[in-house]
Amino acid sequence: MSLSDQARDVLVKSESVFAASPEALESIGEILKRFDGPLRVAIAGKVKAGKSTLMNALVGERLAATDVGECTKIVTWYLDGHTYQVMLYPKDGSEAAQARFHRDEGALEIDLGNRSASEVERIEVTWPSKTLRELTLIDTPGIDSLTESVGTRAFEFLDPEDRATPADAVLYLMRHIHGSDLRLLEAFHDDSMAEPNPVNTVAVLSRADEIGAGRLDSMASSRRIARA
Ligand SMILES: Nc1nc2c(ncn2[C@@H]2O[C@H](COP(=O)(O)OP(=O)(O)OP(=O)(O)O)[C@@H](O)[C@H]2O)c(=O)[nH]1
Ligand SMILES: [Mg+2]
Protein backbone atom coordinates (compact mmCIF):
# COMPACT_ATOMS: atom_id res chain seq x y z
CA MET A 1 0.00 0.00 0.00
CA SER A 2 1.40 3.41 -0.93
CA LEU A 3 2.10 5.98 1.78
CA SER A 4 -0.85 8.12 0.66
CA ASP A 5 -3.19 5.09 0.73
CA GLN A 6 -1.97 4.32 4.25
CA ALA A 7 -2.55 7.91 5.34
CA ARG A 8 -6.05 7.81 3.85
CA ASP A 9 -6.68 4.55 5.65
CA VAL A 10 -5.76 6.18 8.98
CA LEU A 11 -8.20 9.01 8.26
CA VAL A 12 -11.03 6.60 7.43
CA LYS A 13 -10.32 4.54 10.57
CA SER A 14 -10.25 7.67 12.70
CA GLU A 15 -13.80 8.38 11.56
CA SER A 16 -14.99 5.29 13.43
CA VAL A 17 -12.78 6.06 16.45
CA PHE A 18 -14.29 9.55 16.74
CA ALA A 19 -17.80 8.50 15.74
CA ALA A 20 -19.21 10.04 18.94
CA SER A 21 -17.82 13.50 18.28
CA PRO A 22 -19.58 15.50 15.56
CA GLU A 23 -16.87 18.18 15.76
CA ALA A 24 -14.06 15.68 15.18
CA LEU A 25 -16.02 14.04 12.36
CA GLU A 26 -16.45 17.38 10.67
CA SER A 27 -12.72 18.07 10.85
CA ILE A 28 -11.85 14.59 9.61
CA GLY A 29 -14.35 15.00 6.77
CA GLU A 30 -12.67 18.26 5.75
CA ILE A 31 -9.22 16.68 5.86
CA LEU A 32 -10.43 13.73 3.76
CA LYS A 33 -11.97 16.07 1.19
CA ARG A 34 -8.75 18.02 0.95
CA PHE A 35 -6.74 14.78 0.81
CA ASP A 36 -8.79 13.47 -2.11
CA GLY A 37 -8.76 16.82 -3.92
CA PRO A 38 -5.99 18.15 -6.15
CA LEU A 39 -2.63 19.02 -4.57
CA ARG A 40 -2.43 22.78 -4.00
CA VAL A 41 0.83 24.20 -5.21
CA ALA A 42 1.69 27.87 -4.73
CA ILE A 43 4.26 29.51 -6.96
CA ALA A 44 6.21 32.18 -5.09
CA GLY A 45 9.33 34.24 -5.57
CA LYS A 46 10.64 37.73 -6.21
CA VAL A 47 9.18 40.13 -8.75
CA LYS A 48 9.68 38.94 -12.35
CA ALA A 49 11.22 35.62 -11.32
CA GLY A 50 9.07 33.92 -13.97
CA LYS A 51 6.25 32.64 -11.70
CA SER A 52 3.37 33.30 -14.08
CA THR A 53 5.33 31.96 -17.04
CA LEU A 54 5.96 28.70 -15.16
CA MET A 55 2.30 28.52 -14.12
CA ASN A 56 1.24 28.93 -17.78
CA ALA A 57 3.76 26.32 -18.91
CA LEU A 58 2.40 23.81 -16.37
CA VAL A 59 -1.19 24.34 -17.56
CA GLY A 60 -0.25 24.69 -21.23
CA GLU A 61 -2.35 27.84 -21.64
CA ARG A 62 -1.66 31.52 -21.14
CA LEU A 63 -3.97 31.96 -18.18
CA ALA A 64 -1.73 34.06 -15.91
CA ALA A 65 -0.84 37.59 -16.94
CA THR A 66 2.90 38.01 -17.41
CA ASP A 67 4.97 41.20 -17.46
CA VAL A 68 2.45 44.01 -16.99
CA GLY A 69 -1.14 44.29 -15.88
CA GLU A 70 -2.88 44.77 -12.57
CA CYS A 71 -3.58 41.06 -12.13
CA THR A 72 0.08 40.21 -11.53
CA LYS A 73 -0.39 41.93 -8.15
CA ILE A 74 -3.21 39.66 -7.00
CA VAL A 75 -2.99 36.13 -5.63
CA THR A 76 -4.74 33.99 -8.23
CA TRP A 77 -6.00 30.45 -7.78
CA TYR A 78 -6.37 28.24 -10.85
CA LEU A 79 -8.74 25.32 -10.37
CA ASP A 80 -10.25 22.68 -12.59
CA GLY A 81 -14.01 22.79 -13.14
CA HIS A 82 -16.73 22.14 -15.66
CA THR A 83 -17.15 25.74 -16.77
CA TYR A 84 -14.92 28.71 -17.43
CA GLN A 85 -15.36 31.17 -14.62
CA VAL A 86 -13.47 33.98 -12.89
CA MET A 87 -14.45 35.05 -9.37
CA LEU A 88 -13.13 38.09 -7.49
CA TYR A 89 -12.93 37.97 -3.69
CA PRO A 90 -12.88 41.54 -2.33
CA LYS A 91 -10.61 42.45 0.58
CA ASP A 92 -13.40 44.18 2.47
CA GLY A 93 -15.07 40.83 3.02
CA SER A 94 -18.02 41.57 0.76
CA GLU A 95 -19.43 38.79 -1.37
CA ALA A 96 -17.38 37.31 -4.20
CA ALA A 97 -18.35 38.58 -7.63
CA GLN A 98 -18.07 37.03 -11.05
CA ALA A 99 -15.62 38.92 -13.27
CA ARG A 100 -15.78 39.38 -17.01
CA PHE A 101 -12.89 37.99 -19.00
CA HIS A 102 -11.84 37.47 -22.58
CA ARG A 103 -8.92 35.98 -24.42
CA ASP A 104 -6.55 38.17 -26.34
CA GLU A 105 -4.49 36.05 -28.75
CA GLY A 106 -4.79 33.15 -26.32
CA ALA A 107 -3.93 35.18 -23.22
CA LEU A 108 -6.59 35.44 -20.53
CA GLU A 109 -7.55 39.04 -19.76
CA ILE A 110 -9.56 39.61 -16.61
CA ASP A 111 -11.69 42.72 -16.20
CA LEU A 112 -11.61 43.90 -12.58
CA GLY A 113 -14.57 46.19 -13.30
CA ASN A 114 -14.54 49.24 -11.04
CA ARG A 115 -12.16 47.62 -8.56
CA SER A 116 -8.45 48.29 -8.26
CA ALA A 117 -6.00 45.42 -7.72
CA SER A 118 -5.40 46.56 -4.13
CA GLU A 119 -9.08 45.99 -3.32
CA VAL A 120 -9.06 42.36 -4.43
CA GLU A 121 -8.00 39.67 -1.94
CA ARG A 122 -7.76 36.92 -4.52
CA ILE A 123 -8.98 35.82 -7.91
CA GLU A 124 -10.24 32.31 -8.55
CA VAL A 125 -10.04 31.13 -12.13
CA THR A 126 -11.95 27.92 -12.81
CA TRP A 127 -10.77 26.39 -16.05
CA PRO A 128 -11.38 22.88 -17.40
CA SER A 129 -7.84 21.51 -17.65
CA LYS A 130 -6.21 18.13 -17.30
CA THR A 131 -3.28 19.57 -15.31
CA LEU A 132 -5.59 21.44 -12.95
CA ARG A 133 -7.56 18.28 -12.27
CA GLU A 134 -4.48 16.99 -10.43
CA LEU A 135 -3.00 20.30 -9.28
CA THR A 136 -4.58 23.49 -8.07
CA LEU A 137 -2.04 26.21 -8.84
CA ILE A 138 -1.73 29.45 -6.91
CA ASP A 139 0.14 32.26 -8.63
CA THR A 140 1.37 34.83 -6.11
CA PRO A 141 2.53 38.43 -6.60
CA GLY A 142 6.28 38.98 -6.66
CA ILE A 143 7.96 39.74 -3.39
CA ASP A 144 9.82 42.98 -4.01
CA SER A 145 11.30 44.04 -0.74
CA LEU A 146 14.08 42.51 1.24
CA THR A 147 12.93 43.59 4.66
CA GLU A 148 12.57 41.38 7.72
CA SER A 149 8.86 41.00 7.13
CA VAL A 150 9.28 39.47 3.69
CA GLY A 151 8.65 35.96 4.91
CA THR A 152 5.54 37.03 6.79
CA ARG A 153 4.25 38.97 3.80
CA ALA A 154 4.78 36.01 1.51
CA PHE A 155 2.66 33.95 3.82
CA GLU A 156 -0.03 36.57 3.92
CA PHE A 157 -0.34 36.03 0.18
CA LEU A 158 -0.59 32.33 0.68
CA ASP A 159 -2.87 32.48 3.66
CA PRO A 160 -6.16 34.22 2.91
CA GLU A 161 -8.05 34.30 6.20
CA ASP A 162 -10.85 31.96 5.24
CA ARG A 163 -8.59 29.15 4.13
CA ALA A 164 -6.32 27.75 6.81
CA THR A 165 -3.00 26.44 5.43
CA PRO A 166 -4.05 26.80 1.81
CA ALA A 167 -0.94 25.47 0.09
CA ASP A 168 0.29 21.89 0.32
CA ALA A 169 3.55 22.78 -1.37
CA VAL A 170 5.42 25.85 -2.58
CA LEU A 171 7.51 26.21 -5.71
CA TYR A 172 9.94 28.99 -4.87
CA LEU A 173 11.48 30.57 -7.95
CA MET A 174 14.77 32.38 -7.86
CA ARG A 175 17.02 33.64 -10.60
CA HIS A 176 20.19 33.56 -8.50
CA ILE A 177 20.79 32.49 -4.96
CA HIS A 178 20.63 35.51 -2.68
CA GLY A 179 20.80 35.67 1.11
CA SER A 180 17.28 37.10 1.08
CA ASP A 181 15.99 34.08 -0.84
CA LEU A 182 17.59 31.78 1.71
CA ARG A 183 15.94 33.69 4.59
CA LEU A 184 12.61 33.40 2.82
CA LEU A 185 13.08 29.70 2.24
CA GLU A 186 13.83 29.32 5.95
CA ALA A 187 10.63 31.21 6.70
CA PHE A 188 8.67 28.67 4.67
CA HIS A 189 9.85 26.08 7.13
CA ASP A 190 8.93 28.22 10.08
CA ASP A 191 7.31 26.30 12.93
CA SER A 192 4.13 28.29 12.76
CA MET A 193 3.63 27.15 9.17
CA ALA A 194 4.88 23.63 9.66
CA GLU A 195 2.00 22.81 11.92
CA PRO A 196 -0.51 21.41 11.58
CA ASN A 197 0.08 21.01 7.87
CA PRO A 198 3.72 20.95 6.75
CA VAL A 199 4.35 23.12 3.73
CA ASN A 200 6.99 21.73 1.47
CA THR A 201 9.09 24.00 -0.65
CA VAL A 202 10.95 23.17 -3.81
CA ALA A 203 13.43 25.85 -4.92
CA VAL A 204 13.49 26.38 -8.67
CA LEU A 205 16.30 28.18 -10.47
CA SER A 206 14.23 30.20 -12.93
CA ARG A 207 14.99 31.95 -16.22
CA ALA A 208 17.94 29.60 -16.38
CA ASP A 209 18.62 30.39 -20.03
CA GLU A 210 19.62 33.92 -18.97
CA ILE A 211 22.30 32.83 -16.51
CA GLY A 212 25.84 33.77 -17.58
CA ALA A 213 24.44 36.62 -19.74
CA GLY A 214 22.55 34.16 -21.93
CA ARG A 215 25.67 32.50 -23.32
CA LEU A 216 25.28 29.20 -25.15
CA ASP A 217 26.53 27.33 -22.10
CA SER A 218 24.05 29.06 -19.75
CA MET A 219 22.06 25.87 -19.23
CA ALA A 220 25.24 24.02 -18.21
CA SER A 221 26.08 26.85 -15.77
CA SER A 222 22.54 26.69 -14.37
CA ARG A 223 22.88 22.98 -13.80
CA ARG A 224 26.10 23.60 -11.85
CA ILE A 225 24.48 26.36 -9.76
CA ALA A 226 21.44 24.20 -9.06
CA ARG A 227 23.65 21.35 -7.90
CA ALA A 228 25.57 23.67 -5.55
N1 LIG B 1 14.55 34.25 -21.02
C1 LIG B 1 13.56 33.88 -20.21
N2 LIG B 1 12.62 34.77 -19.88
C2 LIG B 1 11.63 34.38 -19.05
C3 LIG B 1 11.57 33.05 -18.53
N3 LIG B 1 10.49 32.98 -17.72
C4 LIG B 1 9.92 34.20 -17.74
N4 LIG B 1 10.59 35.04 -18.54
C5 LIG B 1 10.28 36.45 -18.82
O1 LIG B 1 10.42 37.20 -17.62
C6 LIG B 1 9.44 38.23 -17.52
C7 LIG B 1 8.66 38.07 -16.22
O2 LIG B 1 7.95 36.84 -16.26
P1 LIG B 1 6.64 36.58 -15.38
O3 LIG B 1 6.25 35.17 -15.62
O4 LIG B 1 5.64 37.65 -15.60
O5 LIG B 1 7.27 36.73 -13.94
P2 LIG B 1 6.49 36.81 -12.55
O6 LIG B 1 7.41 36.22 -11.54
O7 LIG B 1 5.13 36.22 -12.68
O8 LIG B 1 6.38 38.39 -12.37
P3 LIG B 1 5.48 39.20 -11.28
O9 LIG B 1 4.19 38.47 -11.15
O10 LIG B 1 5.33 40.57 -11.89
O11 LIG B 1 6.30 39.23 -10.04
C8 LIG B 1 8.57 38.08 -18.76
O12 LIG B 1 9.04 39.00 -19.72
C9 LIG B 1 8.82 36.66 -19.22
O13 LIG B 1 8.66 36.51 -20.61
C10 LIG B 1 12.61 32.13 -18.93
O14 LIG B 1 12.65 30.94 -18.52
N5 LIG B 1 13.56 32.61 -19.75
MG1 LIG C 1 3.23 37.01 -12.14
Side-chain angles (χ1 to χ4, degrees):
M1 214 201 284
S2 72
L3 190 60
S4 65
D5 286 343
Q6 287 178 43
R8 197 176 189 290
D9 216 37
V10 169
L11 282 169
V12 172
K13 279 187 185 134
S14 61
E15 278 187 320
S16 49
V17 173
F18 290 97
S21 161
E23 271 166 42
L25 282 182
E26 197 188 322
S27 307
I28 296 165
E30 271 168 26
I31 298 169
L32 260 174
K33 201 165 144 220
R34 171 104 180 244
F35 196 83
D36 290 337
L39 189 73
R40 295 179 188 175
V41 179
I43 304 177
K46 287 207 197 113
V47 169
K48 304 288 169 236
K51 301 176 291 296
S52 301
T53 304
L54 176 65
M55 141 70 219
N56 289 342
L58 288 171
V59 179
E61 296 205 51
R62 283 164 61 205
L63 296 184
T66 55
D67 270 339
V68 283
E70 286 282 88
C71 292
T72 62
K73 298 187 194 111
I74 309 173
V75 173
T76 310
W77 289 60
Y78 296 90
L79 315 105
D80 177 49
H82 296 301
T83 51
Y84 300 89
Q85 193 185 53
V86 178
M87 296 295 288
L88 302 181
Y89 289 80
K91 265 194 190 143
D92 63 12
S94 59
E95 218 173 294
Q98 216 162 313
R100 281 215 285 240
F101 61 91
H102 68 275
R103 297 195 85 178
D104 186 9
E105 293 177 16
L108 179 67
E109 304 245 346
I110 298 170
D111 182 1
L112 296 180
N114 51 11
R115 290 180 193 82
S116 72
S118 59
E119 291 167 341
V120 181
E121 171 83 41
R122 71 170 191 278
I123 302 176
E124 261 186 31
V125 175
T126 308
W127 207 262
S129 148
K130 203 161 160 270
T131 309
L132 296 176
R133 214 170 298 151
E134 319 228 318
L135 280 183
T136 289
L137 293 168
I138 309 164
D139 192 11
T140 67
I143 298 154
D144 60 359
S145 117
L146 307 180
T147 59
E148 274 293 296
S149 64
V150 160
T152 330
R153 286 225 329 265
F155 281 122
E156 275 171 19
F157 298 142
L158 299 175
D159 194 15
E161 271 166 28
D162 54 339
R163 286 170 189 265
T165 60
D168 298 313
V170 177
L171 283 179
Y172 184 80
L173 269 60
M174 50 191 163
R175 295 173 65 182
H176 313 281
I177 297 175
H178 286 300
S180 57
D181 281 315
L182 289 178
R183 280 199 297 281
L184 206 63
L185 282 169
E186 277 162 12
F188 280 120
H189 287 282
D190 196 273
D191 278 351
S192 60
M193 273 311 281
E195 61 171 41
N197 201 339
V199 171
N200 298 316
T201 305
V202 176
V204 176
L205 193 59
S206 64
R207 300 177 63 169
D209 55 310
E210 294 176 336
I211 282 172
R215 288 195 315 261
L216 282 177
D217 62 353
S218 60
M219 293 308 272
S221 311
S222 307
R223 230 166 270 134
R224 273 201 304 279
I225 293 172
R227 223 176 285 136

